[in-house]
């Protein structure tokens, strides 16, 4: 294993030297840090470096927090997997089918329209959405409802998997409806505090907060063809919601992993449900693996059906994150980046190193 950690450090060093990655990489084994590397700038204007304790926005990685919160409420018999979401949230006048349940939303098999449908032309479509619906108005889960509740569904509930952020917006609203707390208050109290995620929080992009990395989007100047950078404040949602956007340190995400695995967040039955796949993402292998989704949790399996890893990715303008758990080797791989699309290549290179251990 020592050779594995050495090679992982070398990969991170190379990505950092070329400027392809800015952020923190943390690899834990048996709940001890084995690789901890910070590189790049948390604030380019003041040339402030990222540190191991820097907080990063984690985008869709925080779907895992939403899923755990829902399962906690199921443990308390305040919800069930079969609860219809339209009845719970009084959405009878929407285009959302009355058959859509909590389980459909958790597993992204609801078929409902997304608040932003990604396609091959997603950049142009995202720019159009931002012009028509100013992002600064999206402050709470309920603010997203007009973006999807009157759109026609994509398919019948339970028919198949399709990645969907709107479903997690509805789950965030379900948490608020059942608890009487805001989504943010509930997650802070029942997940962050219980898991001892002391630096995790929900911080708006326009807030002044200590030790928080800014997000940067690369651009290329037409004349010089040199890469420049701009902040992500006009190109991503200003606040978190049920579908993503919390901030955390690498240590926070490891503590979440530890608390989840050790049953400190959920009952034994719900812990088991959270840590197993529930639906296939594709009928055929992708990149030599079977991909499945669970409750806010993505699973990668061998073509023989052996579990390789679970966790989640997070991508938005100026944010690129990976949180992977490799149970066979007892490894947590945490990659938190504050520039667009910088974690993917690094994540796969470390993944290949893990696979070489078999």
């Amino acid at each position: 294993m020592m050779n594995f950690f050495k090679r992982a450090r070398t990969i991170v060093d190379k990505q950092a030297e070329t400027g392809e990655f800015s952020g923190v990489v943390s690899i834990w084994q048996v709940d001890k840090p084995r690789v901890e590397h910070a590189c790049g700038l948390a604030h380019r204007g003041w040339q402030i470096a990222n540190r191991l304790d820097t907080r990063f926005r984690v985008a869709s990685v925080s779907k895992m927090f939403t899923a755990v919160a829902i399962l906690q409420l199921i443990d308390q018999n305040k919800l069930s997997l079969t609860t219809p979401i339209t009845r719970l949230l009084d959405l009878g006048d929407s285009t959302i089918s009355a058959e859509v349940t909590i389980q459909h939303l958790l597993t992204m098999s609801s078929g409902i329209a997304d608040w932003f449908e990604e396609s091959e032309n997603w950049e142009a479509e995202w720019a159009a959405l931002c012009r028509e619906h100013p992002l600064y108005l999206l402050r709470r889960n309920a603010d997203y409802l007009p973006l999807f509740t009157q759109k026609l569904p994509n398919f019948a509930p339970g028919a198949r998997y399709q990645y969907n952020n709107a479903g997690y917006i509805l789950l965030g609203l379900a948490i608020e409806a059942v608890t009487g707390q805001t989504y943010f208050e509930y997650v802070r109290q029942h997940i962050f505090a219980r898991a001892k995620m002391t630096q995790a929080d929900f911080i708006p992009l326009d807030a002044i907060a200590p030790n928080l990395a800014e997000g940067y989007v690369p651009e290329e100047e037409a004349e010089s063809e040199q890469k420049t950078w701009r902040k992500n404040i006009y190109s991503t949602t200003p606040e978190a919601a049920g579908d993503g956007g919390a901030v955390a340190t690498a240590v926070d995400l490891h503590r979440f992993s530890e608390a989840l695995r050790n049953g400190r967040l959920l009952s034994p039955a719900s812990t088991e449900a959270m840590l197993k796949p529930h639906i296939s993402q594709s009928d055929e292998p992708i990149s030599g693996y079977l991909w499945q989704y669970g409750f806010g949790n993505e699973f990668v399996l061998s073509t023989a059906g052996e579990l390789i890893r679970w966790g989640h990715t997070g991508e938005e303008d100026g944010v690129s994150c990976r949180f992977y758990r490799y149970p066979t080797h007892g490894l947590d791989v945490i990659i938190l980046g504050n520039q667009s699309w910088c974690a993917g290549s690094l994540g796969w290179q470390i993944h290949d190193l893990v696979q070489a251990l078999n």
Side-chain angles (χ1 to χ4, degrees), residues 269-283:
S270 289
T271 298
E272 180 182 359
M274 183 72 188
L275 298 181
K276 73 176 184 181
H278 292 272
I279 189 169
S280 293
Q281 293 182 245
S282 173
D283 294 333

Side-chain angles (χ1 to χ4, degrees), residues 55 57 136 138-140 184 188 201-210 212-214 232-233 236-241 245-247 316:
R55 297 189 289 181
R57 186 149 153 156
Y136 62 82
L138 300 176
R139 294 283 178 174
R140 296 294 184 268
F184 310 116
R188 286 186 185 113
D201 205 350
F202 298 100
I203 301 175
L205 288 182
D206 54 2
I208 298 172
L212 179 62
E214 291 190 332
N232 65 347
I233 57 174
T236 193
T237 52
E239 294 205 35
V247 305
E316 60 187 23

Side-chain angles (χ1 to χ4, degrees), residues 129-184:
L129 175 73
C130 294
R131 288 193 298 270
E132 297 167 8
H133 302 277
L135 293 183
Y136 62 82
L137 297 177
L138 300 176
R139 294 283 178 174
R140 296 294 184 268
N141 286 293
D143 295 336
Y144 292 80
L145 292 177
L147 299 180
F148 68 91
T149 54
Q150 297 303 318
K151 292 182 180 178
L152 294 177
N154 294 312
F155 51 85
R160 58 183 174 86
Y161 165 92
Q162 181 173 304
Y163 196 86
N164 186 282
N165 286 297
Y168 275 73
I169 295 293
L170 294 178
L171 291 172
L173 288 169
I175 293 166
E176 295 178 345
V178 169
T179 66
Q181 295 180 279
T182 68
Y183 169 81
F184 310 116

Side-chain angles (χ1 to χ4, degrees), residues 216-255:
Y216 297 101
V217 182
E219 291 187 331
E220 189 173 283
E221 291 185 348
E223 295 182 3
S224 64
E225 295 185 354
Q226 291 184 341
K227 183 184 289 185
T228 60
W229 299 92
R230 62 175 172 84
K231 296 180 183 180
N232 65 347
I233 57 174
Y234 296 119
S235 57
T236 193
T237 52
E239 294 205 35
D243 64 342
V247 305
T249 65
V251 171
D252 287 327
L253 288 185
H254 168 70
R255 288 177 178 170

